[in-house]
Amino acid sequence: MKLYFDIDGVLVAQGRKPANYVTEFLKIATEKHDCYWLTTHCKNNSEITTAMEHVKEVLPAEAIFYCERIKPTEWFHKKSEAIDFNSDFLWFDDVSFDFEKEVLAQHNKSNSFVLVDLINNPDQLKELIKLL
């Protein structure tokens, strides 16, 4: 399965702190699945360095090791442009825009979006490990 990750609000919690259980989450995700960045910090191959610099400022070294296994995506206006709708996937993000929900619905993939809310559920990544 393909996994798509936003950074802020998913791996990096409010206050620029590592999300609780981020290392365990990334370890299982990257060892079992094909993982991709789907974040404003990496909108094409040339921005992979920007994404890595962003996570290196916050996440522990062990989590960075797993982040280095995550591949870039390419998109311009909507994150959904980068998704391979012909595959099974999960998209982890803290924001769900109506126009992206519509694209997911058009492809019968609404259930593939996983809303991460670390503000109200700081241990959510521990719970999400079950999906992996």
Side-chain angles (χ1 to χ4, degrees), residues 47-113:
E47 292 182 349
I48 187 73
T49 304
T50 305
M52 290 305 300
E53 287 173 0
H54 187 68
V55 295
K56 283 179 181 178
E57 292 175 1
V58 179
L59 300 184
E62 189 177 0
I64 298 302
F65 172 78
Y66 300 114
C67 287
E68 290 173 346
R69 298 178 178 184
I70 302 174
K71 302 170 194 145
T73 54
E74 188 165 313
W75 59 280
F76 301 98
H77 303 293
K78 303 176 194 173
K79 289 182 180 180
S80 55
E81 295 169 13
I83 295 173
D84 176 3
F85 287 102
N86 293 316
S87 67
D88 289 332
F89 69 88
L90 292 175
W91 171 13
F92 298 90
D93 207 317
D94 65 320
V95 176
S96 147
F97 293 108
D98 288 340
F99 60 87
E100 290 175 329
K101 287 181 190 176
E102 289 173 18
V103 173
L104 290 168
Q106 290 167 1
H107 289 89
N108 294 320
K109 297 286 189 172
S110 296
N111 291 335
S112 295
F113 183 85

Side-chain angles (χ1 to χ4, degrees), residues 20-21 117-118 120-128:
N20 295 343
Y21 302 98
D117 182 0
L118 298 177
N120 292 308
N121 186 358
D123 294 335
Q124 188 177 4
L125 291 186
K126 182 179 181 181
E127 298 167 12
L128 293 177

